[in-house]
Amino acid sequence: MALQFSGLRCSPLSSSSRFSKPFFPCWSQTQKRVSIPIVNSVALANAQNKERLKLKELFDEAYERCRTAPMEGVSFTLEQFTAALENYDFDSGVGTKVRLNALCFSGKGTVFCTDANGALVDITAKSSAYLPLQEACIHRVKNVEEAGIVPGMRGEFLVIGENEADDSLILSLRSIQYDLAWERCRQLQAEDVVVKGKVVGANKGGVVAEVEGLRGFVPFSQISMKVTGEELLEKELPLKFVEVDEEQSRLVLSNRKAMADSQAQLGIGSVVTGSVQSLKPYGAFIDIGGINGLLHVSQISHDRVTDIATVLQPGDMLKVMILSHDRERGRVSLSTKKLEPTPGDMIRNPKLVFEKAEEMAQTFRQRIAQAEAMARADMLRFQPESGLTLSSDGILGTLTEDLPVEGLDLSEVPSAEES
């Protein structure tokens, strides 16, 4: 049978024969699709092997460098690193202060992220610490940036709690600032200085003023002006400390004590600068450094003033002279009339009045001194037995031979000119 088959001869298949193509037409395409993933897998494996070899070389180099020269290329010494580790050890319990180091290799305490509700702070603990917005500043702020808290900031924080959800610590700057504010208030009280406080609230007993970031109470009995609490809202008052008790959170202030110091410096005939607060039919109230003085309509000018609004307006700055000062009643009388170089200047040319104010006030004080000297001289004229004499400067002294017993010769005393 083999011989029979061997004798068979078949003509070659032509290209047009239906048997010139494979019996299964999809077999060739399937073979191509299978071969492509195989090639890709081989290329990927080769790339991974190269990467592994490269990493192995890097590790070998690093190991050799650590074995032979461990400190090469390091910007700090081993002692500095050890000291830094000691600074990193802290008890992160509630009430712990965390100092943010400024060392370049220390990331401890660095603000690295801020959002609308606060800031994330790296204090080298197991997890990041969070500074809430309400703990960012002693003052009310809309965002932490207003308090100067930005990424990269370093300072000192206080651990005030822990978030149980993620074991993160809760920090505060506000608590530290409160401690500093109380210390500052105690210092100011010891120095007995006058401070400015902004009125932020009012009740039946007085007003609440903010000083050094703290809220203090000013009783109405300690306010020199007869006003309501609502009228003082958003205004600044000169204040002195009466009581500073951090343990009881009591901060009591006095406007009356502060005004007493300011008023002690107001001398009759002195010139001060003030601003017009309000106008009344009988005159204008002038604020002279926290003290309200009255510029009566009759003391505005030598010429008659029928309508104060034609001369002054609220907010105007002007120079006035102190006419009288009742410290017990807290009343100060003012005048621009005495400062006029010529009658009516306050109406026609107030700028000239303010330019010549000190000069005219000096003249006024001289007249006052002359009047007082004449009064003392008259007293000695009729009471020579007092044993006192009047010097050329108007100062009382012991009786001398220059003073005749029958009295003084007042012919040389100049008469006071009419203002």
Side-chain angles (χ1 to χ4, degrees), residues 43-335:
L44 181 60
N46 291 336
Q48 290 176 345
N49 289 335
K50 290 180 180 179
E51 188 68 22
R52 290 191 186 96
L53 290 174
K54 185 177 180 180
L55 289 174
K56 185 176 182 301
E57 291 176 359
L58 291 176
F59 280 120
D60 289 342
E61 291 178 4
Y63 172 77
E64 184 65 20
R65 187 168 60 250
C66 290
R67 189 179 65 83
T68 58
M71 297 304 293
E72 182 181 353
V74 179
S75 60
F76 52 88
T77 64
L78 184 61
E79 289 77 12
Q80 289 176 326
F81 182 71
T82 304
L85 289 179
E86 292 177 356
N87 289 335
Y88 289 164
D89 279 337
F90 68 92
D91 180 13
S92 58
V94 175
T96 302
K97 284 187 178 180
V98 182
R99 185 171 300 281
L100 311 183
N101 294 332
L103 299 176
C104 60
F105 56 87
S106 170
K108 183 178 181 182
T110 302
V111 176
F112 63 89
C113 180
T114 61
D115 56 29
N117 298 317
L120 284 172
V121 184
D122 178 14
I123 58 171
T124 68
K126 294 180 180 179
S127 60
S128 297
Y130 192 70
L131 176 68
L133 176 62
Q134 62 270 22
E135 294 294 334
C137 186
I138 194 172
H139 303 285
R140 290 188 178 182
V141 292
K142 296 180 180 179
N143 51 67
V144 293
E145 285 79 6
E146 288 185 21
I149 300 171
V150 295
M153 171 221 164
R154 295 180 175 90
E156 187 178 63
F157 296 101
L158 183 70
V159 179
I160 61 172
E162 185 177 359
N163 189 345
E164 297 180 357
D166 56 4
D167 293 332
S168 63
L169 299 175
I170 301 176
L171 303 179
S172 174
L173 276 175
R174 181 168 169 264
S175 299
I176 296 177
Q177 293 173 356
Y178 263 120
D179 291 342
L180 294 174
W182 280 107
E183 183 179 349
R184 176 63 176 160
C185 288
R186 285 191 293 269
Q187 179 184 356
L188 293 172
Q189 182 188 30
E191 296 174 357
D192 196 32
V193 298
V194 177
V195 297
K196 289 286 187 178
K198 184 178 181 181
V199 178
V200 295
N203 55 37
K204 293 181 180 179
V207 298
V208 178
E210 190 173 277
V211 178
E212 296 292 329
L214 301 176
R215 293 196 169 195
F217 183 65
V218 188
F220 280 126
S221 62
Q222 293 299 318
I223 298 177
S224 60
M225 299 169 286
K226 299 298 182 181
V227 292
T228 63
E230 288 71 18
E231 291 175 330
L232 292 176
L233 286 175
E234 299 301 319
K235 293 185 178 180
E236 284 193 345
L237 294 177
L239 302 167
K240 271 195 170 187
F241 293 94
V242 175
E243 182 180 358
V244 180
D245 189 342
E246 182 178 2
E247 293 183 359
Q248 300 295 328
S249 294
R250 282 176 58 87
L251 186 64
V252 183
L253 306 161
S254 172
N255 168 250
R256 189 177 294 277
K257 289 181 64 178
M259 298 309 301
D261 282 2
S262 300
Q263 292 174 358
Q265 302 174 0
L266 297 179
I268 304 302
S270 60
V271 176
V272 293
T273 301
S275 62
V276 179
Q277 295 298 302
S278 61
L279 301 180
K280 302 295 181 181
Y282 51 84
F285 283 98
I286 313 296
D287 179 9
I288 49 174
I291 303 173
N292 274 335
L294 175 62
L295 177 60
H296 195 269
V297 63
S298 64
Q299 287 296 328
I300 295 177
S301 176
H302 285 83
D303 289 0
R304 180 179 177 80
V305 177
T306 56
D307 186 3
I308 300 177
T310 60
V311 184
L312 301 173
Q313 287 293 325
D316 287 351
M317 299 297 296
L318 70 163
K319 289 184 178 181
V320 292
M321 189 177 70
I322 308 296
L323 276 187
S324 64
H325 182 200
D326 186 345
R327 289 180 175 83
E328 293 183 359
R329 305 175 66 181
R331 293 182 178 180
V332 180
S333 297
L334 308 172
S335 174

Side-chain angles (χ1 to χ4, degrees), residues 359-379:
E359 181 182 337
M360 297 302 298
Q362 178 64 25
T363 303
F364 177 79
R365 288 192 292 269
Q366 290 174 355
R367 294 173 183 171
I368 294 295
Q370 291 173 2
E372 291 177 349
M374 292 181 66
R376 286 194 293 268
D378 287 340
M379 180 187 67

